[in-house]
Amino acid sequence: MERYGQGMAVDRFVLMAVCRHFSRNPGRPTSVELCHVNVSAQSVADPAFLEYAGALLDRHPGVAARLCFEITETAVIANLDDACRFIEAMRVRGCRIALDDFGSGLSSFAYLKRLPVDILKIDGAFVRDLAHGGSDLALVRSMSQMGQALGKVTIAEWVESEGVMAQLREVGIGCVQGYAVHVPCPLDELVGAWDSACTGPV
């Protein structure tokens, strides 16, 4: 979609859908700790999207506190000033920010000093083969230690087995994303299952 200049259109649609979902289900935001929304490099670099997101959150009060924008590391490095502007504006409103695919720009971490993100999401390329051993475990451990030193929550992507989850716990990563947790599904289905689990018999 980004290749054809449609990244921002998708981002607007998804953000609108999330805001509408929570506005139509006012009790739901209390049962969903944090809803992550990916934002394309195109949107991060366009002031019009920042204006759109701000206006939308103003029309749907209460959503921002349950919203986390995910921005890829490559998008941040390519548009550092724009990314900082977007991040600061969204954090002021109460949103949180995740740096997605962390590690894909391993050539330099100097930009992290300028970037007030809340969450680092370790690129799945380093995670998927952890069960086979090798250098990936050392790299993931170092990224986990860096995240802890910076006071960030660290999430591992592409986690597909209990074995990998166990290794991640050993290196200090307690948050994961992947098929080992849940397969992709519609938001209503996911929230409904979560609500049933929270309110069902003990």
Side-chain angles (χ1 to χ4, degrees), residues 19-94:
C19 288
R20 283 179 174 171
H21 172 84
F22 284 135
S23 293
R24 290 171 181 170
N25 302 275
R28 289 280 174 84
T30 57
S31 66
V32 177
E33 183 178 347
L34 203 59
C35 182
H36 288 234
V37 174
N38 292 88
V39 180
S40 67
Q42 187 182 97
S43 295
V44 169
D46 194 329
F49 181 78
L50 175 57
E51 184 178 349
Y52 172 82
L56 190 60
L57 291 173
D58 287 343
R59 293 201 303 272
H60 299 275
V63 173
R66 300 289 173 179
L67 195 61
C68 178
F69 288 100
E70 291 194 15
I71 306 173
T72 63
E73 184 180 39
T74 50
V76 165
I77 294 172
N79 307 284
L80 188 55
D81 290 338
D82 293 325
C84 287
R85 203 159 22 245
F86 178 83
I87 289 169
E88 289 165 2
M90 292 298 100
R91 292 188 84 220
V92 164
R93 291 176 179 277

Side-chain angles (χ1 to χ4, degrees), residues 119-135:
I119 299 167
L120 299 178
K121 298 187 69 180
I122 298 176
D123 192 295
F126 300 102
V127 176
R128 62 184 173 188
D129 294 324
L130 283 184
H132 305 302
S135 59

